[in-house]
Amino acid sequence: MSNEVLWVILMVVNFAFILLSYKLFGKLGLLVWSGFAIVLANIQVLKTVELFGIVSTLGNIIYGTSFLATDILSEKYGKKEASKAVWIGFFALISATSIMWLCLKFIPHESDFINESLVNIFSIMPRITIASLIAYLAGQLHDVWAYHYWKEKFSKDSQLWIRNNLSTMVSQLIDSLLFTFIAFYGVFEFDIFIEILITTYFMKWLVAACDTPIVYLAKKIDKPIFE
């Protein structure tokens, strides 16, 4: 199975789970997802793949769903709840990184077979985390602000796709520029670095364009099962 097919499947699975999370747990499900998504995205981003003939990192899909979560929260619950999701994600990433950093300090037993893999994954996370925290806050806080700015100008239900895409696509450009420069500048050769920068934004832009139907579906959910 090609990377491109897997990427589409992964996007559909992510959208299905965030919608299911909201259907089951309502607002709480989206708040929990915001913390889960940012932590998992920072692990996935360490894997570099080729998609559509260009070099890209994974993590763009699930990271993009954090913007989807705040857009649904903005649409249905207002700016305060959307901002809460941003800060939950921020806290989750700091907590996860701090805990794993301490775990790596333990001296492994001679029977241990997983420590080296954990080191490979989590030892790079402080730089990734710093990049992600800065980019995440800048992008997400802009997204919450922009969503409500555009909602005042395009307030009709039929215009939901306009406010969703205008807010998210600009916010993800801010996020991609900050994250890629802080996380990967000097790590990769310059031509690969530029390719990652372009593809990172393109992939996030593509996810943002595809997630619009999910916002419409979420808007139709009136009473979550466990809320």
Side-chain angles (χ1 to χ4, degrees), residues 7 10 37 40-47 57-65 204:
W7 190 85
L10 182 61
L40 196 55
N42 275 267
I43 296 173
Q44 290 183 7
V45 77
L46 300 175
K47 184 165 183 174
T57 58
L58 290 182
N60 294 319
I61 294 175
I62 194 164
Y63 189 74
T65 63
K204 290 178 181 177

Side-chain angles (χ1 to χ4, degrees), residues 89-102:
F90 184 84
F91 177 78
L93 186 55
I94 290 179
S95 301
T97 304
S98 300
I99 290 169
M100 288 310 301
W101 180 80
L102 285 171

Side-chain angles (χ1 to χ4, degrees), residues 110-127:
E110 60 183 15
S111 63
D112 178 88
F113 62 91
I114 203 69
N115 186 68
E116 186 176 349
S117 297
L118 291 175
V119 170
N120 288 335
I121 294 172
F122 293 103
S123 62
I124 197 174
M125 275 196 74
R127 178 170 179 172

